[in-house]
Amino acid sequence: MTLTRRQLLLAAAAAAAAGGPARAQEWPTRPIRLIDPFTPGGSSDVLGRAIAQKLTASLGQSVVLENVPGAGGTVGADRVAKSPADGYTLLIGHIGTLAVSPLIYPQLPYDPLKDFVPVAWLANVVNVLAVHPSVPVRSLPELVAYARANPGRLNYRSGGNGSAAHLAGEYLKMVSETFMVHVPYRGTAPAMTDTIAGRVQLVFTGAPAVIPAINAGQLRPLAVSSSKRLPALPDVPTVAESGYPGFEADQWYGIVAPAGTPAAVVQRLNGPVNQALASAELQTRFQTLGAIGMPSTPEVFGRHIAQEIERWRPVVKAGNIQPG
């Protein structure tokens, strides 16, 4: 019997439909690389290692965190964007690589909305505004007054141009109408080292990186970026409480995969991530770090990424934020 072209196409589609779930059920059959596009020691590194450990247990394959820093996170992000869409190479994306980079890099080698598929929203991380003890201020209003009286005297550090800390600092400068000098570093860890040493006076970055220095008495906290106070720092007011209603500048992190990754593999990943975020162990650990787990669907995370690009567009323009 000779089959028509239409019958052949229908048979091929049926075979693909039958084979797709089987392949998804077999995945993963080898270790998975989770790329962190920043240096070790930052919020993405801390959160990434925590979730990698949980995924290793639930998926039955090693999930290995690999730091691939450079160019504000775009080097690692581009590597994942150009990797095979098979679920074995994933990216810890965040506000910088997925929402800010497309606004500041005129020739960004990837499109966050077209070259990636969202997998899971991991967490929101509160930024903490803190100063070296040598700075004679104990509140955000005092800091603003000091900055206005001494324009350009205060330096604030970030993990690089276009990073979440850079964005938070420029947003604060915009709403408070102050001038402070931005000092970009190649990653959060070296920036924290210089802030603790007093070579830089101010930091406004993710809680996981700054809380240990606060607890050790090496930095003095002034405010947090979230809409509510941080349980790990209950006595520290929000920026909104400190005279700037509506201010909110939290970081966010999530997992994305190369565009074209099978939907069944994405769902296979999303479930264990959400289960890990709901575990008492991770909730306790995140709370200590100043992070808030955000279990959700890939679709919700995808919409969030698109909304954040538009939300930060005016801040990038006002701060004239340029790539390093």
Side-chain angles (χ1 to χ4, degrees):
M1 180 181 65
T2 302
L3 296 177
T4 65
R5 182 174 183 275
R6 182 173 182 275
Q7 288 172 324
L8 288 170
L9 290 173
L10 289 173
R23 286 192 294 272
Q25 289 170 6
E26 293 169 2
W27 181 94
T29 59
R30 54 188 170 87
I32 299 164
R33 297 166 64 222
L34 181 58
I35 303 298
D36 173 12
F38 297 98
T39 55
S43 298
S44 57
D45 185 70
V46 174
L47 297 173
R49 292 185 188 281
I51 203 70
Q53 183 179 19
K54 284 288 189 180
L55 287 178
T56 294
S58 59
L59 294 175
Q61 286 288 343
S62 296
V63 178
V64 182
L65 187 79
E66 181 180 339
N67 297 94
V68 184
T74 63
V75 172
D78 185 48
R79 180 176 298 185
V80 175
K82 292 177 171 56
S83 295
D86 54 12
Y88 290 99
T89 305
L90 309 171
L91 173 72
I92 300 180
H94 91 315
I95 183 174
T97 50
L98 298 179
V100 179
S101 290
L103 301 176
I104 68 173
Y105 287 91
Q107 296 182 328
L108 190 67
Y110 62 88
D111 184 321
L113 301 180
K114 295 180 180 179
D115 294 334
F116 296 110
V117 58
V119 173
W121 191 346
L122 289 180
N124 283 356
V125 172
V126 176
N127 284 314
V128 179
L129 175 65
V131 295
H132 187 267
S134 63
V135 181
V137 302
R138 293 189 172 275
S139 68
L140 178 54
E142 289 184 6
L143 177 71
V144 171
Y146 184 84
R148 288 176 177 171
N150 301 274
R153 185 172 180 178
L154 289 176
N155 296 325
Y156 80 94
R157 97 323 169 260
S158 80
N161 286 333
S163 65
H166 186 191
L167 202 67
E170 290 302 318
Y171 188 20
L172 180 64
K173 285 167 58 177
M174 185 177 76
V175 300
S176 64
E177 299 180 339
T178 54
F179 174 61
M180 293 176 282
V181 180
H182 173 232
V183 182
Y185 282 76
R186 292 178 61 85
T188 299
M192 283 299 303
T193 297
D194 271 12
T195 308
I196 291 170
R199 288 185 283 271
V200 183
Q201 294 82 41
L202 178 70
V203 61
F204 198 8
T205 196
V210 73
I211 283 179
I214 291 172
N215 291 339
Q218 297 167 317
L219 295 177
R220 179 185 302 132
L222 302 182
V224 296
S225 67
S226 50
S227 59
K228 298 179 180 179
R229 293 196 181 196
L230 187 62
L233 298 170
D235 297 327
V236 180
T238 67
V239 173
E241 285 181 276
S242 303
Y244 302 95
F247 185 99
E248 191 171 349
D250 295 347
Q251 302 182 30
W252 48 263
Y253 296 82
I255 296 175
V256 296
T261 299
V265 171
V266 170
Q267 291 299 331
R268 177 88 168 83
L269 274 164
N270 180 264
V273 171
N274 288 340
Q275 290 172 9
L277 295 176
S279 69
E281 177 190 347
L282 227 55
Q283 287 183 359
T284 300
R285 186 171 182 182
F286 277 22
Q287 182 174 343
T288 302
L289 296 171
I292 303 167
M294 298 293 292
S296 65
T297 65
E299 293 76 18
V300 168
F301 183 42
R303 287 195 295 270
H304 180 68
I305 294 170
Q307 291 166 356
E308 284 287 279
I309 293 174
E310 296 309 314
R311 178 180 179 229
W312 291 106
R313 192 180 298 277
V315 176
V316 169
K317 183 178 180 180
N320 191 30
I321 297 177
Q322 303 291 328

